[in-house]
Amino acid sequence: VEPLLGRLARPEIGDVLAVRNGLLHLPSGELHPPTPDFFGLHATDVAFEPAAPQPAEWLAFLRELWPGDAESIDTLQEWFGLCLSVDTSHQKILLLVGPKRSGKGTIARVLTRLLGIDSVAAPTLASLATNFGLAPLIGKALAIIGDARLGTRGDQAIIAERLLSISGEDAQTIDRKFLPTWTG
């Protein structure tokens, strides 16, 4: 197989996903060998298997959560795909709402393992209002807020402003404890 970067002079960064067993060219579905010429900030630990069977247990789990609601299942799976890509043109924040023990934590754990533990931050909603609250997000592909509860003490305006500026891809200047501020 001709190396991806030899055949495509400059593939779009969002078209290539680094997987455990190589570089996956998303538009063609072709797996190429890894190369030092490819630079990416994130990689999944999952190996690409083109002949893999349908994930029966996962789909059964989703059908249990949303019986008869194929649109919710499709939306969640589309979200997972968007999280794998560096394409941020959709600029959305996903909110899963449900009672305790309704599968939200399982979904978050599966997505974390899919993206790689080192690619995911787990801040609290309240921490986003603090001075150093954005620092753990630097270099992460995704932030999962496991339990979004706002009490009377949290500054809701600051939290909303920060979430909107992140999803809108605005530049962030982030305070870091005992380090210079980071802008990016």
Side-chain angles (χ1 to χ4, degrees), residues 45-111:
D45 191 38
V46 176
F48 175 68
E49 298 292 338
Q54 287 285 324
E57 293 296 321
W58 174 249
L59 293 173
F61 168 70
L62 296 180
R63 284 191 295 272
E64 184 180 315
L65 295 181
W66 297 298
D69 188 357
E71 187 176 352
S72 291
I73 293 169
D74 290 346
T75 299
L76 182 70
Q77 295 199 125
E78 181 179 357
W79 178 260
F80 271 48
L82 290 170
C83 288
L84 283 172
S85 170
V86 297
D87 174 13
T88 57
S89 63
H90 298 282
Q91 302 175 350
K92 300 293 181 194
I93 295 175
L94 179 71
L95 177 64
L96 292 176
V97 179
K100 291 179 182 178
R101 313 284 312 153
S102 64
K104 299 180 304 290
T106 299
I107 290 169
R109 285 187 292 280
V110 169
L111 183 55

Side-chain angles (χ1 to χ4, degrees), residues 18-59:
V19 294
R20 183 176 352 139
N21 53 340
L23 298 173
L24 178 60
H25 186 243
L26 296 171
S28 67
E30 295 175 9
L31 185 66
H32 298 269
T35 172
D37 294 329
F38 177 79
F39 177 78
L41 295 176
H42 303 284
T44 179
D45 191 38
V46 176
F48 175 68
E49 298 292 338
Q54 287 285 324
E57 293 296 321
W58 174 249
L59 293 173

Side-chain angles (χ1 to χ4, degrees), residues 165-184:
S165 68
I166 291 167
S167 70
E169 294 188 295
D170 298 336
Q172 304 292 313
T173 297
I174 298 175
D175 289 330
R176 300 182 299 168
K177 198 167 189 173
F178 306 120
L179 293 169
T181 58
W182 177 92
T183 300

